[in-house]
Amino acid sequence: MAKYKPVLQHGHNRQGRDLVVSDIHGCYDSLMRVLDQAKFDPACGDRLFSVGDLIDRGPRSWDTLKLLNEPWMHLVRGNHEDMLLSALDCFDSILHSSVDIYPNGGKWLIDLSDEQIHELQTLIAPKLQASPHVRSVLNEQGDTVLFHIAHAELLRPGRNRYFDPTQDSDTEAVFYDDAELALLAAGQEPADWDEDKFVATSTWGRRAVRAVMSDSLSDRPVTWFNDFPMAQGATRLAVSPTPYSVGLSPVFVGHTILDRAAMHASHIFTDLGCVGTYRSTREDNGMLCLIDAQKTLAWLKERLPRPEDEQADPLTPMARGKMPLP
């Protein structure tokens, strides 16, 4: 089994599409429906990237978790995957304990058969442990990032001894950039590196999303687009006054439920609350955001072009310490 690295890089998809799916939370039927609508076809080279939180709260967590056995499924660990690993004594977190999964939608674990528990412990848990907290997809030449996938946010932690990434930051927000993420992919550590805080931020953080959650406030205006592309249609997108973070390629994230997709500081927030529909109606037919990454990047270039002075320098960042691609 591969060893855990915080960041893994993927080569350019030369055959098919790269689809990114928001938080599934056990809504297996909703996932299969949107994949069918998008004509997802791994035989033609399509890849599926999950922003994490495959499990808990929905009706079919076990079936969704078993998708890790598929070669086309590429997961970044969310807070619910890390809570599962903590329950299995495979992971220690600075933000949750080994029993926190149960009040957070994880009671399905109690109903597993002995055979399923054995499979979880021996086959699935090692795959979860080896899954990164960030994935980066490179361009055709392999020297520049096209996009990243994370669960919550890539905002740096504060320097305070007490750290809660779900709360407002008391200092000016500073985000990780492509060059630092490339160092992590190469097994090197950026300056002031703290892995525990990086994991906590990337899985639990809700500081960045606040810039577009409170769009009704006069001091936080947003720009609206009604044609933001998904693989199975279009949705609304709320964009903050600072859509890009300098040196950071687009990052697809989930974690925080919004009533529309949103963008701030290179982060594209995609969780439209599929599991909320199930919890209120008991029907697995909620809104699951499935994004065609290549189509979205083309849309951004046309509708929301990035200022030239915010582009990462292609000669400096990525490949100096490039590791073999998964």
Side-chain angles (χ1 to χ4, degrees):
M1 182 59 63
K3 182 181 178 183
Y4 166 81
K5 287 182 179 292
V7 181
L8 283 181
Q9 293 178 345
H10 293 259
H12 182 71
N13 193 339
R14 299 177 185 274
Q15 295 181 311
R17 298 170 297 169
D18 287 334
L19 303 185
V20 181
V21 65
S22 59
D23 307 46
I24 301 168
H25 277 302
C27 293
Y28 181 87
D29 292 342
S30 291
L31 174 62
M32 293 299 108
R33 185 185 72 250
V34 296
L35 289 178
D36 183 64
Q37 290 172 347
K39 295 180 170 53
F40 177 70
D41 188 356
C44 293
D46 290 350
R47 302 187 292 197
L48 183 64
F49 291 91
S50 165
V51 303
D53 282 7
L54 291 174
I55 55 172
D56 301 339
R57 299 181 176 148
R60 297 181 63 179
S61 286
W62 177 248
D63 292 328
T64 309
L65 187 61
K66 287 187 67 175
L67 291 175
L68 289 177
N69 294 326
E70 301 292 346
W72 43 261
M73 169 62 88
H74 304 284
L75 170 77
V76 296
R77 283 160 53 177
N79 54 309
H80 283 260
E81 281 78 33
D82 280 354
M83 283 193 289
L84 174 58
L85 287 172
S86 294
L88 297 173
D89 294 325
C90 299
F91 177 71
D92 291 321
S93 170
I94 61 174
L95 287 185
H96 65 257
S97 74
S98 61
V99 297
D100 281 345
I101 191 171
Y102 297 105
N104 284 285
K107 291 182 179 179
W108 59 274
L109 284 168
I110 300 171
D111 297 325
L112 293 181
S113 66
D114 290 344
E115 182 180 353
Q116 288 172 323
I117 292 172
H118 178 74
E119 183 178 355
L120 175 61
Q121 293 175 331
T122 61
L123 297 178
I124 295 178
K127 292 179 180 178
L128 275 181
Q129 284 181 286
S131 296
H133 285 92
V134 178
R135 293 183 187 269
S136 304
V137 176
L138 305 180
N139 68 351
E140 194 167 358
Q141 292 73 36
D143 59 5
T144 304
V145 168
L146 292 176
F147 62 93
H148 306 283
I149 306 98
H151 181 61
E153 66 185 15
L154 295 181
L155 182 60
R156 293 176 185 278
R159 294 181 177 271
N160 294 342
R161 188 173 182 181
Y162 173 75
F163 172 66
D164 183 351
T166 68
Q167 303 301 315
D168 287 324
S169 176
D170 58 358
T171 59
E172 184 178 353
V174 179
F175 294 85
Y176 292 98
D177 59 30
D178 291 352
E180 292 168 304
L181 296 172
L183 284 176
L184 291 168
Q188 303 174 49
E189 295 182 356
D192 300 321
W193 171 245
D194 186 319
E195 183 169 296
D196 287 338
K197 288 184 175 181
F198 176 83
V199 170
T201 295
S202 65
T203 56
W204 287 95
R206 285 197 170 99
R207 294 171 293 161
V209 74
R210 284 192 171 88
V212 281
M213 285 179 71
S214 304
D215 51 73
S216 61
L217 301 179
S218 59
D219 61 337
R220 291 182 179 179
V222 299
T223 301
W224 287 94
F225 295 89
N226 292 319
D227 61 341
F228 181 67
M230 294 195 299
Q232 75 276 29
T235 189
R236 296 190 302 161
L237 178 73
V239 181
S240 83
T242 52
Y244 295 103
S245 179
V246 177
L248 179 63
S249 296
V251 188
F252 295 106
V253 296
H255 185 54
T256 300
I257 295 177
L258 301 173
D259 61 3
R260 68 285 188 266
M263 184 171 182
H264 169 65
S266 297
H267 288 59
I268 300 172
F269 300 93
T270 66
D271 189 357
L272 303 182
C274 181
V275 75
T277 299
Y278 170 74
R279 295 175 80 180
S280 62
T281 68
R282 311 314 291 177
E283 302 222 351
D284 185 358
N285 60 0
M287 181 60 147
L288 192 58
C289 192
L290 183 68
I291 289 177
D292 183 325
Q294 289 90 336
K295 186 185 296 184
T296 295
L297 294 178
W299 184 92
L300 289 173
K301 187 175 181 180
E302 177 185 352
R303 300 298 305 276
L304 204 61
R306 185 169 192 151
E308 288 296 326
D309 60 356
E310 290 188 357
Q311 303 278 2
D313 182 353
L315 298 179
T316 61
M318 296 302 311
R320 278 189 208 182
K322 249 187 347 187
M323 58 179 286
L325 301 176

